[in-house]
Amino acid sequence: MDYSTDFQIKELLHQQTYLSNGELKSWKGKKDEVYSTISSSEEYKPTLLGSVPHMDEATAVEVLDFACDAYGKGQGIWPTMKVADRIECMEKFVSLMKPKRAEVVKLLMWEIGKSLPDSEKEFDRTIEYINDTIEDYKQLDRNSAKFSKRDGVNAHIRRGPLGVVLCLGPYNYPLNETFALLIPALIMGNTVIFKPAKHGVLLISPLLEAFRDSFPKGAVNVIYGRGREVAAPIMKSGRIDVLALIGNSKSAIALQDQHPHKNRLRLVLGLEAKNPAIILPDADLDLTIDECISGTLSFNGQRCTALKIIYIHEDIQEEFNKRFAARVDTLKLGNPWEEGAKLTPLPEPDKPQYIQDLIKDAQEKGASILNKKGGEITDNFIFPAVLFPVTHEMRVYKEEQFGPVIPLKPFNDIQELLNEISNSNYGQQISLFGSDINELAPLIDTLVNLVCRVNLNSSCQRGPDVFPFTGRKDSAVGTLSVHDALRSFSIRTFVASKDNAYNNEILKKLLESKTSNFVSTEYIL
């Protein structure tokens, strides 16, 4: 089916407002034009999609004031609201978000070049994530609807918000991964300032009214602009309690360094990775090649969970290399809405040249391109290059490429390989391919201590979202999953009293009167 007509840009989207203190406020200042690298004409030319506010420091600090006022030193409407009422707000947001699916999916395709099936999956997965978060929060509240007693002390233990959260999402999953930060931070009672990514910024526009209409004023605020001009001054104020960021570790460090009170600042970070695959001699090559194609080239390799280096045992390297390279060349390149398109335009205009530089560096240091189409470059794409053999000196070995180039490295000593993985700055995931349990068992027992997820005969991935998503070393701080994220954005807090008649009578009156939203044993069904 040809969707090209359905998905053409018929009118530009000029986002002229930002969400602050429960209002969509008009922006009269400088604007940033938003372009897609997808061309809508026969002669290549980036497509103008619209524009967004280029906000300044003064406006960003004003938004921060409103977020702090909404938290109100813990006295605000949102942080003190009953759990059931916060859930009701979130359910309203979901109901208002669902009708925006077609608009968001279309913008996902144009802004970041994500294929139609993957764009639809991202939207649907985000709805599912919010619903699962609501259900997990209900269970969390049920588990807290009680008193504990120990050594003559009664305690009513719940989880409370941390304060004001600055939320910065990534361009590769600008809806799903951003909301994996935003939604749990919000539902736990924090107030949030959210800045969309540079690519994938317009797709938030259809949701602004839903945010405004679903939550109390100041609970969620949306700003636009460059990080150094709006995020840095917000951090410099020292009034941010949580930095929630999915992106690059350099950006995370730069923002942390702006904060004057390091011990006050909580971090929830999903950062880069250089996830390897290890292919043992007895691996099922049909299965392994399928998984490695998916792992290296889903969304053109622009995922932190992508396989970014493949280690192949020397005994099978010749057959694997030949078959793998041939499979890469069969992948269809096309626009996101074209049926069967597995490779799509790259959203960053300078990315094809960067990938070409990596390829050239590797070739100069002894690597060859194994596939015939590898390295073919156009205005908005470079065809995936399978590079072999890759060595430590090459940039593609050291850098997280975040794009369509696949380094292959041979090995024969598993201990040397384990040392290499241990010495990496990253520790998110690994894919392990093989079948002999006597070989696999000791490897699994070691690898679980080096990374946070070992994928057995499977490519690396984030989901399902109920599973923990985190990393060691420079790959993450905190854990993001439906269950863990609620804990990452909250802290255990409780009311305690000595077990005597005087205190117990007061507690009894508190519970019966229902005057406290915290001291409550009401059970949410």
Side-chain angles (χ1 to χ4, degrees):
M1 186 180 295
D2 181 12
Y3 295 104
S4 56
T5 304
D6 296 339
F7 294 118
Q8 287 308 306
I9 299 297
K10 295 180 175 63
E11 58 183 73
L12 302 183
L13 173 53
H14 292 294
Q15 181 58 44
Q16 300 180 24
T17 58
Y18 62 98
L19 181 60
S20 175
N21 201 34
E23 298 177 32
L24 288 175
K25 297 184 177 180
S26 295
W27 175 253
K28 305 297 185 183
K30 181 181 174 183
K31 298 281 187 68
D32 290 322
E33 291 184 326
V34 179
Y35 284 90
S36 170
T37 61
I38 300 171
S39 180
S40 55
S41 58
E42 289 186 13
E43 183 179 345
Y44 179 77
K45 186 174 73 171
T47 301
L48 178 65
L49 301 178
S51 61
V52 293
H54 184 112
M55 293 173 65
D56 53 26
E57 178 176 339
T59 313
V61 171
E62 181 184 74
V63 174
L64 172 64
D65 289 340
F66 287 128
C68 292
D69 290 346
Y71 192 70
K73 298 181 174 63
Q75 301 168 61
I77 292 172
W78 185 244
T80 59
M81 187 179 283
K82 287 183 178 180
V83 169
D85 292 339
R86 282 209 293 264
I87 288 172
E88 187 176 331
C89 290
M90 192 62 74
E91 288 174 335
K92 181 179 180 180
F93 175 74
V94 174
S95 70
L96 294 176
M97 178 179 171
K98 284 179 180 178
K100 304 297 183 181
R101 183 179 189 264
E103 293 175 69
V104 173
V105 165
K106 182 177 178 179
L107 288 166
L108 269 167
M109 290 190 290
W110 277 95
E111 286 197 82
I112 65 169
K114 184 165 286 189
S115 71
L116 174 59
D118 283 350
S119 295
E120 292 174 331
K121 182 180 177 182
E122 178 162 350
F123 187 93
D124 295 341
R125 180 180 170 192
T126 304
I127 294 291
E128 183 181 2
Y129 182 91
I130 299 173
N131 287 330
D132 286 346
T133 297
I134 290 170
E135 290 306 313
D136 205 274
Y137 188 33
K138 287 179 182 177
Q139 187 59 50
L140 180 64
D141 190 69
R142 292 182 196 115
N143 295 341
S144 303
K146 63 181 181 180
F147 277 79
S148 300
K149 184 175 177 181
R150 182 67 186 262
D151 297 336
V153 176
N154 289 313
H156 187 51
I157 306 169
R158 291 184 174 276
R159 298 199 74 90
L162 294 167
V164 182
V165 179
L166 176 60
C167 177
L168 305 171
Y171 83 79
N172 59 335
Y173 287 89
L175 184 71
N176 182 258
E177 291 207 344
T178 301
F179 277 37
L181 300 173
L182 177 65
I183 297 302
L186 197 52
I187 203 169
M188 290 308 298
N190 304 284
T191 59
V192 180
I193 301 169
F194 156 47
K195 189 185 90 64
K198 180 181 178 182
H199 304 290
V201 57
L202 284 174
L203 61 88
I204 299 300
S205 295
L207 306 177
L208 289 180
E209 289 184 358
F211 279 122
R212 180 196 63 189
D213 296 342
S214 302
F215 301 101
K217 68 177 188 177
V220 57
N221 307 273
V222 181
I223 62 173
Y224 299 89
R226 304 223 173 145
R228 67 177 69 92
E229 295 175 26
V230 293
I234 286 174
M235 291 295 291
K236 197 179 293 184
S237 72
R239 292 189 289 165
I240 289 296
D241 300 293
V242 186
L243 173 61
L245 178 149
I246 295 179
N248 186 274
S249 58
K250 290 180 181 177
S251 302
I253 291 168
L255 286 169
Q256 290 174 58
D257 287 344
Q258 297 285 338
H259 203 289
H261 310 298
K262 297 291 188 294
N263 291 336
R264 172 178 175 172
L265 182 66
R266 294 292 184 101
L267 301 173
V268 183
L269 309 175
L271 305 172
E272 66 263 34
K274 189 82 174 175
N275 290 338
I278 299 176
I279 305 175
L280 300 174
D282 62 343
D284 179 328
L285 282 191
D286 290 332
L287 169 65
T288 300
I289 289 168
D290 284 346
E291 292 293 326
C292 285
I293 289 287
S294 172
T296 56
L297 292 175
S298 287
F299 192 38
N300 306 313
Q302 299 168 121
R303 301 177 300 123
C304 65
T305 55
L307 288 175
K308 298 200 176 78
I309 186 165
I310 299 177
Y311 294 99
I312 318 146
H313 196 278
E314 289 180 351
D315 289 354
I316 57 168
Q317 72 183 37
E318 187 174 342
E319 184 181 0
F320 176 86
N321 290 358
K322 180 181 177 182
R323 292 173 58 183
F324 182 76
R327 275 287 300 280
V328 170
D329 276 349
T330 66
L331 298 177
K332 179 182 176 180
L333 169 62
N335 283 326
W337 48 83
E338 291 181 28
E339 191 169 356
K342 299 297 184 184
L343 305 170
T344 53
L346 300 170
E348 297 175 287
D350 57 350
K351 183 56 72 70
Q353 183 59 54
Y354 168 72
I355 297 295
Q356 190 175 54
D357 291 345
L358 292 182
I359 294 169
K360 184 178 178 183
D361 173 78
Q363 287 178 307
E364 289 173 352
K365 293 170 181 171
S368 299
I369 299 176
L370 298 185
N371 56 320
K372 293 177 182 177
K373 295 183 183 179
E376 292 179 0
I377 193 166
T378 62
D379 292 289
N380 59 6
F381 191 71
I382 183 167
F383 201 89
V386 182
L387 299 174
F388 180 87
V390 166
T391 60
H392 296 75
E393 297 79 24
M394 298 173 186
R395 287 178 59 193
V396 75
Y397 173 84
K398 294 180 279 190
E399 299 176 23
E400 187 205 25
Q401 63 268 37
F402 219 74
V405 60
I406 308 166
L408 309 181
K409 191 171 185 292
F411 79 94
N412 58 23
D413 186 327
I414 195 65
Q415 189 56 54
E416 285 184 11
L417 180 52
L418 291 173
N419 292 340
E420 195 172 316
I421 293 168
S422 176
N423 291 333
S424 168
N425 291 329
Y426 309 112
Q428 188 197 79
Q429 299 187 32
I430 195 167
S431 289
L432 178 60
F433 296 95
S435 59
D436 185 346
I437 60 169
N438 294 316
E439 294 283 338
L440 292 172
L443 278 176
I444 290 171
D445 291 351
T446 299
L447 291 170
V448 292
N449 296 327
L450 301 179
V451 299
C452 289
R453 175 168 170 165
V454 177
N455 299 277
L456 183 59
N457 292 311
S458 309
S459 61
C460 297
Q461 64 181 67
R462 172 171 176 157
D465 288 319
V466 294
F467 292 166
F469 179 59
T470 185
R472 299 173 185 266
K473 296 179 276 191
D474 284 342
S475 286
V477 177
T479 302
L480 292 173
S481 69
V482 169
H483 180 78
D484 295 295
L486 293 173
R487 287 150 182 81
S488 293
F489 287 104
S490 62
I491 191 167
R492 296 185 87 198
T493 182
F494 63 103
V495 174
S497 65
K498 290 185 177 178
D499 184 20
N500 56 48
Y502 180 73
N503 284 335
N504 291 349
E505 182 63 23
I506 293 173
L507 290 175
K508 182 181 177 184
K509 289 179 179 178
L510 275 170
L511 291 170
E512 289 175 348
S513 67
K514 299 182 180 180
T515 51
S516 169
N517 290 342
F518 185 91
V519 181
S520 171
T521 54
E522 287 187 353
Y523 196 85
I524 299 176
L525 295 174

